[in-house]
Amino acid sequence: MNIDNIINKYNYSIELAQFLKDVYRALIDYFGESNEEIIYNALLSCPIISSKNCYDELLKLGLIDIDNNMVTMNDLKISSGVYESKPKIIYQNGKFTISSIERAIVIKDLDVNNKVSKATLIHEIGHLVKSYYNEYEIDGNILTFKSGLIEKKYQLEIINEKVQKRLILELGVGLEEGFNSLLEEDIARKIIDPNYQSTGYGLVNGIASNFKKYLSFFLNAQIYKNKSELISRFGIYYSDLEILTDKFYQLNLQLLANAFNEFRKQEIIAEIQKLQFEEYIPIMKKIMKQGLRR
């Protein structure tokens, strides 16, 4: 498949085009040759945009919804990069259907001469690739969004003749961010800096790192949105791990938001340490014991 089709479609600069070629090859190495079509079509479906502010750009593109998500509007306003998508949903003859999906990767002041900026782009492309296949599905009035290990469910309804959605479930964000930070590190070390270290995902990165020996199972689940192998291998403890890692991820976001509030920071750190001792260590022991049985 010819990546020049992607480059020409969005008229990317020479510098960005060369970097994307390096990333494309690295993604195929990471996910496997059999997944090249998904990688190619994902990148073909999604422009990469440099902007002064990710939130403002997404707002301009019409990709912002006011939902009670784990990642808030305030998080987006200080974000260095984001992948976002939005389905166009129509209601006809008593049925909700998806007519199209709009996607965008927005990077704050994208600079392909800056290793942090390049690594941020790798991270968001990782989210894009792991979202593309069966990203949205509708069953009755329930919309399901899946991005890697993330699963969100929305209730759909018609208000003032417009389709509205209300978040009713969000799960797997922390674990997905942890594994996506591993992807970021792996590819960045190959094409940017052999000593590159992901930042901002310390807690969930550490949790995901404990499962590197099972990476192929996780990658298959992320690409094809099927966690059956993970559940079969780790039993009920996999669900416990997802819930707990989401707690860690939320606390990590709070740490970043309270960077200049020392008192609140110490409170959050204490909460993290309590969770590590009382919940994380016991769950990991059970998971590893369960995994070794297979």
Side-chain angles (χ1 to χ4, degrees):
M1 295 176 187
N2 192 347
I3 191 174
D4 285 334
N5 295 333
I6 298 167
I7 291 163
N8 293 334
K9 178 178 179 178
Y10 297 110
N11 195 28
Y12 293 139
S13 68
I14 294 173
E15 294 81 8
L16 179 56
Q18 184 54 57
F19 180 64
L20 281 178
K21 289 179 180 181
D22 294 338
V23 173
Y24 186 76
R25 184 66 251 175
L27 286 167
I28 294 171
D29 291 342
Y30 193 83
F31 288 107
E33 296 280 350
S34 62
N35 289 312
E36 181 180 0
E37 185 175 356
I38 288 175
I39 295 166
Y40 175 84
N41 287 328
L43 286 165
L44 190 65
S45 75
C46 180
I48 296 167
I49 301 166
S50 176
S51 180
K52 292 293 182 185
N53 184 287
C54 293
Y55 175 83
D56 289 344
E57 188 67 30
L58 292 175
L59 192 63
K60 185 172 73 174
L61 293 170
L63 293 177
I64 289 288
D65 277 327
I66 302 175
D67 297 311
N68 189 26
N69 292 313
M70 208 172 291
V71 178
T72 67
M73 287 187 289
N74 288 334
D75 294 325
L76 287 176
K77 288 177 180 178
I78 61 172
S79 175
S80 58
V82 62
Y83 162 70
E84 192 62 72
S85 67
K86 185 177 181 179
K88 182 178 181 181
I89 302 171
I90 58 175
Y91 183 74
Q92 202 168 41
N93 299 323
K95 185 179 179 180
F96 292 101
T97 57
I98 297 169
S99 62
S100 62
I101 301 172
E102 294 294 324
R103 300 180 174 93
I105 288 175
V106 181
I107 306 297
K108 182 178 179 181
D109 299 322
L110 176 59
D111 180 0
V112 290
N113 295 308
N114 180 289
K115 71 178 183 180
V116 174
S117 188
K118 289 191 288 187
T120 300
L121 178 54
I122 290 170
H123 186 93
E124 300 310 327
I125 289 175
H127 282 311
L128 163 67
V129 171
K130 289 183 285 183
S131 295
Y132 183 78
Y133 180 83
N134 284 352
E135 187 173 16
Y136 291 96
E137 290 182 337
I138 292 179
D139 182 8
N141 68 335
I142 301 298
L143 170 71
T144 300
F145 162 78
K146 292 182 179 179
S147 175
L149 301 173
I150 297 170
E151 182 175 352
K152 298 181 185 181
K153 288 186 179 294
Y154 300 87
Q155 183 171 310
L156 301 175
E157 53 188 342
I158 301 296
I159 299 177
N160 297 326
E161 299 184 349
K162 291 185 178 180
V163 177
Q164 303 290 340
K165 59 189 181 79
R166 177 173 59 86
L167 184 68
I168 56 176
L169 173 74
E170 183 174 29
L171 187 65
V173 178
L175 205 53
E176 176 58 34
E177 286 294 357
F179 275 99
N180 207 46
S181 70
L182 295 186
L183 175 150
E184 174 191 334
E185 286 182 341
D186 183 272
I187 294 178
R189 287 171 183 173
K190 288 178 180 175
I191 66 175
I192 300 175
D193 178 355
N195 299 311
Y196 177 80
Q197 184 72 42
S198 174
T199 60
Y201 298 94
L203 290 167
V204 293
N205 177 287
I207 293 173
S209 294
N210 290 324
F211 293 91
K212 280 185 176 180
K213 66 184 289 186
Y214 302 108
L215 184 60
S216 62
F217 298 113
F218 278 94
L219 288 178
N220 189 62
Q222 288 171 303
I223 283 281
Y224 294 103
K225 319 303 194 307
N226 186 347
K227 299 178 184 178
S228 60
E229 176 63 33
L230 299 179
I231 295 168
S232 173
R233 181 165 292 273
F234 302 119
I236 61 172
Y237 307 119
Y238 176 75
S239 178
D240 293 338
L241 178 69
E242 276 194 325
I243 293 168
L244 180 59
T245 309
D246 279 349
K247 291 179 184 178
F248 279 125
Y249 183 62
Q250 287 176 304
L251 288 168
N252 194 62
L253 290 176
Q254 290 178 36
L255 268 181
L256 295 173
N258 289 277
F260 302 106
N261 185 338
E262 192 60 34
F263 179 76
R264 180 58 186 142
K265 273 176 59 179
Q266 293 306 314
E267 284 186 328
I268 296 168
I269 290 170
E271 289 181 63
I272 290 169
Q273 291 172 339
K274 187 172 185 289
L275 275 178
Q276 287 175 322
F277 181 75
E278 295 182 357
E279 297 187 39
Y280 176 64
I281 293 174
I283 285 176
M284 283 303 297
K285 286 180 179 178
K286 293 173 182 176
I287 281 178
M288 289 309 174
K289 186 176 180 180
Q290 180 79 12
L292 289 172
R293 289 177 182 169
R294 291 295 304 270

